[in-house]
Amino acid sequence: MLRIVAASLHSGSRRPKKAVTNMPVDPKQLCKIPLFEGLTPDQLAFVASHARSRSYKTEEAIVHQEDSGETLYVIISGIVKISMVGSDGNEVFLAVLAAGENFGELSLIDSQFRSADVVTQEETTLVSIDRATFNQLIATVPAFAMNLLRILALRTRRANVRIHAHCTLDVFGLVARQLLEFAEQYGMVQADDSVLIPIRLTQGDIADLVGASRERVNQVMRHFREKKMITVDSKTFRITVLKPAELHKRLQ
């Protein structure tokens, strides 16, 4: 996922990485992960034998911007926040990733430093794959390579959609589009057909993602709540989309 407009969020001190315990990986954990779709049982067993599972608590750093990149991470459970620190020292919120998604592959592909910080938003379990295993999978398992290409292609297409949105939509449309994207990607349909976005999203986070001020996003979110298009849990910052069709109208 890519950031299109750079709104700033004041950065605190850099979070230290904490020691983590590597655990064996169960091949059954990998079966439903898009990156491993289509791999044979033997190939999944190979990945599991060369990978390690790691658990993190909330607000723990996984990687830091400018670190050397030697590991690919796959999210088994939990949510992580992707951000960058600009030259002015401010943090820029890029994206969130959830279960089934991966990160860290770019540094393995181009051998450059990490381009962003990654911090957990809740208790998170990751599977890590080192460079040697990644290179062997790319070279010998076509399904793995094609899955990675599809994932990168999807991210590029989504980035193109965001570029177009920032050129054509007002703040109401940008916020509506971002909420609908999260609902489509991560949403959990409830008994009343509403869609819960199981991600902690503050108004500051949304402002960063759409490139608007917090004050303006606050006005938009208040309007959406008053029109009963969404609800926001004030304790968990989870958003529920009640009327997706009404939000879609803001994209026109």
Side-chain angles (χ1 to χ4, degrees):
M1 298 178 72
L2 301 176
R3 173 146 178 100
I4 306 304
V5 176
S8 295
L9 176 66
H10 183 69
S11 175
S13 59
R14 192 178 191 185
R15 297 177 181 87
K17 295 181 186 177
K18 296 185 179 181
V20 292
T21 302
N22 291 336
M23 301 295 291
V25 176
D26 183 348
K28 295 179 181 178
Q29 291 182 305
L30 307 178
C31 294
K32 297 182 180 180
I33 302 296
L35 186 60
F36 304 117
E37 182 178 343
L39 271 65
T40 67
D42 286 345
Q43 290 167 341
L44 289 172
F46 171 83
V47 174
S49 67
H50 288 75
R52 288 294 179 267
S53 178
R54 301 181 177 187
S55 293
Y56 297 80
K57 296 181 180 180
T58 304
E59 295 294 320
E60 284 196 38
I62 302 168
V63 299
H64 285 136
Q65 186 177 345
E66 302 300 333
D67 280 353
S68 60
E70 296 296 325
T71 307
L72 166 71
Y73 296 95
V74 179
I75 305 172
I76 300 300
S77 64
I79 298 169
V80 302
K81 174 181 177 179
I82 315 296
S83 63
M84 295 179 66
V85 178
S87 57
D88 59 359
N90 286 338
E91 182 184 28
V92 181
F93 180 21
L94 303 178
V96 293
L97 298 176
E101 297 187 289
N102 55 273
F103 61 92
E105 68 284 336
L106 294 183
S107 291
L108 297 183
I109 292 171
D110 63 12
S111 298
Q112 299 297 308
F113 292 117
R114 299 293 192 189
S115 60
D117 295 329
V118 182
V119 177
T120 60
Q121 281 200 314
E122 61 185 38
E123 291 186 358
T124 298
T125 299
L126 306 175
V127 164
S128 61
I129 297 173
D130 63 23
R131 179 182 292 276
T133 303
F134 176 84
N135 288 342
Q136 187 168 351
L137 289 170
I138 289 290
T140 63
V141 183
F144 177 85
M146 287 303 302
N147 289 339
L148 181 60
L149 286 174
R150 290 190 188 97
I151 290 167
L152 295 177
L154 177 59
R155 291 179 183 176
T156 301
R157 289 183 183 278
R158 286 175 177 163
N160 289 341
V161 170
R162 293 190 190 102
I163 292 171
H164 181 264
H166 279 278
C167 293
T168 59
L169 298 177
D170 61 10
V171 178
F172 280 86
L174 290 171
V175 174
R177 195 207 66 79
Q178 188 64 66
L179 294 178
L180 289 169
E181 180 179 288
F182 280 139
E184 178 184 353
Q185 288 183 250
Y186 309 119
M188 301 169 62
V189 179
Q190 307 299 291
D192 60 357
D193 290 331
S194 63
V195 181
L196 170 67
I197 301 172
I199 296 172
R200 183 181 185 277
L201 288 170
T202 67
Q203 291 185 359
D205 292 336
I206 296 172
D208 277 358
L209 289 169
V210 304
S213 68
R214 292 191 192 186
E215 291 76 12
R216 186 65 175 133
V217 168
N218 178 59
Q219 294 172 356
V220 172
M221 294 291 286
R222 183 170 62 248
H223 173 81
F224 288 166
R225 291 196 303 271
E226 290 173 350
K227 295 298 182 180
K228 300 188 185 303
M229 298 182 193
I230 65 171
T231 61
V232 181
D233 188 309
S234 60
K235 294 182 179 180
T236 65
F237 296 100
R238 263 59 171 181
I239 297 170
T240 299
V241 177
L242 304 177
K243 298 179 180 179
E246 292 300 312
L247 290 178
H248 272 289
K249 291 179 181 179
R250 289 291 181 174
L251 310 186
Q252 300 173 359

